């Protein structure tokens, strides 16, 4: 009785370790998922679990700072077998220098010791296994790619507090918690030259998106490509369509065929860096600072601040109520100011050139500030302006003339799907 329950515990442990393994390394395949799918696979997950449950192999994980040889010695593999396996594994798929701590390795052995195992399986990633087998001529390895499936879903919702919360209620049926955040970030990235997602969303605004959903081994679900998305902001509509030109990497364009990228980002903080507890619910208490004419972004101290456009640093130092202040001069008479900074990024000093989206400083609470936040100003021709208005008119480049016809066809198709589909799994026509 005791023995049986011990075995059951062991099997359960192995199964749990397998689940942990499957969840462990969250990296997407380098090759497009479709390619991975085509490669096929010899074992389905259920077969794999069955084989785990038959005579269970022993599962060990690589410790932090441990080498493969170190792991083998720890589990009792003989010196000669250990070095043979490492050599063969390196020749197959493993770069022994870049193995991740926590990587599970399964050992199958014919007898009760691990001195001379007959089979090893490395869980290289959530969808990558390396099977090593001992043959008459030595060790050899076969890499196995576990398949992902892709479908397309429509997710739409109404914003009440912020994008995270809107996503929480509308994407929960399709994505796990982290996936919902990923989707919010993906949308914020696509629109980051047009909409400041942390400041400009109002109660009652709406969003809708067509997005690929990737379901991997063990049911891991991830956000794939966002194919199209639209926001209705106080009644005005802005949409973005993903389009891959003949010689260009995929980009997003608005409905008129202009790139969603422009000369300026709409916000100096990346949306994904602002937790949902900051941002829209924040009310600045800076009334006593009379010169206050800017936008405040509440964010944790140390949050990276990015240049909203290509620029030259004009000032990087202490400036009264601003505390640590960074001032950037852009083309066409635009100047941006970033105040209350904890400090500046390495190498940031007057005269230095910076690129759009480059980290230039860190959020702090220096000067006349009641709590960690970024004070942000846009000046045009030396005059402080509302950044929402000042940056609004700057649109991206139109799509190349030679690509316009095919873009319009693709865009019309996607936008029609976007507008006509209710939230749910979408059946797209041939792509
Ligand atoms: Zn301010």
């Amino acid at each position: 009785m005791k023995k049986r329950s011990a075995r059951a515990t062991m099997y359960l442990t192995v199964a749990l370790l397998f689940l942990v393994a499957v969840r462990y390394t969250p990296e997407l395949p380098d090759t497009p998922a479709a390619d991975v799918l085509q490669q096929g696979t010899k074992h389905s997950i259920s077969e794999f679990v069955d084989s785990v449950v038959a005579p269970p192999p022993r599962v060990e994980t690589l410790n932090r700072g441990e080498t493969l040889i170190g792991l083998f010695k720890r589990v009792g593999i003989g010196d000669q077998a250990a070095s043979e396996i490492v050599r063969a594994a390196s020749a197959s798929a493993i770069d022994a220098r870049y193995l991740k701590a926590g990587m599970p390795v399964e050992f199958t052995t014919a007898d009760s010791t691990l001195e001379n195992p007959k089979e090893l399986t490395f869980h290289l990633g959530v969808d990558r296994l390396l099977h090593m087998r001992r043959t008459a001529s030595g060790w050899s390895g076969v890499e196995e790619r576990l398949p992902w499936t892709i479908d397309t879903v429509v997710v739409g919702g109404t914003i009440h507090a912020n994008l995270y919360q809107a996503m929480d209620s509308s994407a929960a049926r399709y994505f796990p918690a982290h996936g919902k955040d990923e989707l919010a970030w993906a949308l914020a990235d696509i629109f980051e030259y047009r909409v400041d997602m942390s400041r400009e969303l109002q109660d009652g605004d709406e969003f809708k998106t067509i997005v690929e959903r990737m379901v991997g081994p063990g049911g891991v679900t991830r956000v794939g490509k966002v194919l199209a998305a639209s926001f209705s902001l106080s009644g005005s509509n802005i949409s973005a369509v993903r389009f891959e030109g003949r010689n260009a990497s995929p980009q997003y364009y608005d409905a008129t065929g202009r790139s969603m990228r422009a000369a300026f980002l709409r916000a100096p903080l990346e949306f994904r860096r602002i937790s949902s507890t900051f941002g829209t619910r924040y009310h600045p208490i800076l009334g006593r600072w009379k010169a206050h004419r800017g936008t405040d972004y509440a964010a944790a101290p140390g949050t990276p601040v990015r240049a909203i456009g290509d620029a030259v640093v004009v000032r990087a130092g202490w400036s009264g109520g601003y505390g640590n202040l960074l001032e950037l001069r852009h083309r066409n008479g635009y100047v941006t100011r970033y105040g209350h900074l904890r400090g500046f990024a390495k190498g940031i000093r007057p005269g230095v050139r910076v690129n759009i989206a480059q980290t230039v400083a860190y959020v702090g609470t220096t000067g006349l500030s009641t709590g960690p936040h970024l004070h942000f100003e846009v000046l045009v021709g030396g005059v402080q302006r509302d950044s929402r208005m000042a940056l609004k008119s700057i649109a991206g480049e139109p799509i190349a003339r030679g690509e316009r016809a095919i873009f319009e066809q693709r865009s019309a198709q996607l936008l029609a799907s976007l507008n006509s589909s209710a939230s749910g799994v979408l059946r797209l026509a041939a792509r």
Side-chain angles (χ1 to χ4, degrees), residues 191-271:
F191 287 85
E192 68 181 345
Y193 298 83
R194 303 289 186 97
V195 181
D196 177 352
M197 293 289 174
S198 64
R199 305 274 323 172
E200 290 177 32
L201 303 185
Q202 309 271 337
D203 188 8
D205 285 348
E206 292 174 342
F207 80 93
K208 206 169 181 188
T209 181
I210 301 181
V211 57
E212 289 181 348
R213 176 174 62 172
M214 304 173 62
V215 180
V220 192
T221 303
R222 293 203 184 131
V223 172
K225 289 182 277 223
V226 172
L227 303 179
S230 70
F231 277 81
S232 168
L233 304 169
S234 308
S236 72
N237 199 76
I238 174 165
S239 34
V241 171
R242 185 179 199 272
F243 179 74
E244 192 164 352
R246 274 192 294 271
N247 317 308
S249 50
Q251 264 207 64
Y252 290 88
Y253 295 88
D254 66 17
T256 70
R258 282 187 172 272
S259 171
M260 292 297 286
R261 289 166 177 263
F264 290 107
L265 295 160
R266 291 299 296 272
L269 299 181
E270 210 178 352
F271 179 73

Side-chain angles (χ1 to χ4, degrees), residues 386-405:
D386 181 342
S387 63
R388 273 176 278 190
M389 302 313 294
L391 303 176
K392 194 162 223 158
S393 56
I394 300 158
E397 294 288 312
I399 196 156
R401 190 178 294 222
E403 311 263 37
R404 186 163 262 288

Side-chain angles (χ1 to χ4, degrees), residues 282 284 286 289 291-297 322 339-340 368 373-377:
Y282 173 77
L286 297 167
W289 189 23
H292 188 272
R293 293 186 73 180
T295 309
D296 291 309
Y297 292 88
Y322 285 104
H340 309 312
L368 284 177
H373 77 285
L374 174 70
H375 171 89
F376 175 62
E377 281 177 30

Side-chain angles (χ1 to χ4, degrees), residues 216-358:
V220 192
T221 303
R222 293 203 184 131
V223 172
K225 289 182 277 223
V226 172
L227 303 179
S230 70
F231 277 81
S232 168
L233 304 169
S234 308
S236 72
N237 199 76
I238 174 165
S239 34
V241 171
R242 185 179 199 272
F243 179 74
E244 192 164 352
R246 274 192 294 271
N247 317 308
S249 50
Q251 264 207 64
Y252 290 88
Y253 295 88
D254 66 17
T256 70
R258 282 187 172 272
S259 171
M260 292 297 286
R261 289 166 177 263
F264 290 107
L265 295 160
R266 291 299 296 272
L269 299 181
E270 210 178 352
F271 179 73
R272 67 180 67 211
R273 302 282 195 166
I274 306 177
S275 85
S276 57
T277 55
F278 283 107
T280 48
R281 271 179 287 154
Y282 173 77
H283 297 283
I285 324 162
L286 297 167
R288 252 160 291 173
W289 189 23
K290 290 201 181 102
H292 188 272
R293 293 186 73 180
T295 309
D296 291 309
Y297 292 88
T303 303
V305 174
R306 54 190 190 165
I308 67 153
D310 295 344
V312 175
V313 177
V314 179
R315 186 196 328 226
W318 190 266
S319 181
Y322 285 104
N324 282 322
L325 176 69
L326 178 71
E327 199 169 294
L328 301 180
R329 189 176 62 233
H330 309 269
R331 289 203 292 178
N332 302 333
Y334 279 71
V335 167
T336 51
R337 282 186 187 149
Y338 312 76
H340 309 312
L341 302 169
R342 184 163 87 182
F344 305 96
K346 207 170 169 221
I348 296 299
R349 57 179 181 277
V352 166
R353 292 193 160 276
V354 295
N355 298 319
I356 188 166
Q358 183 180 332

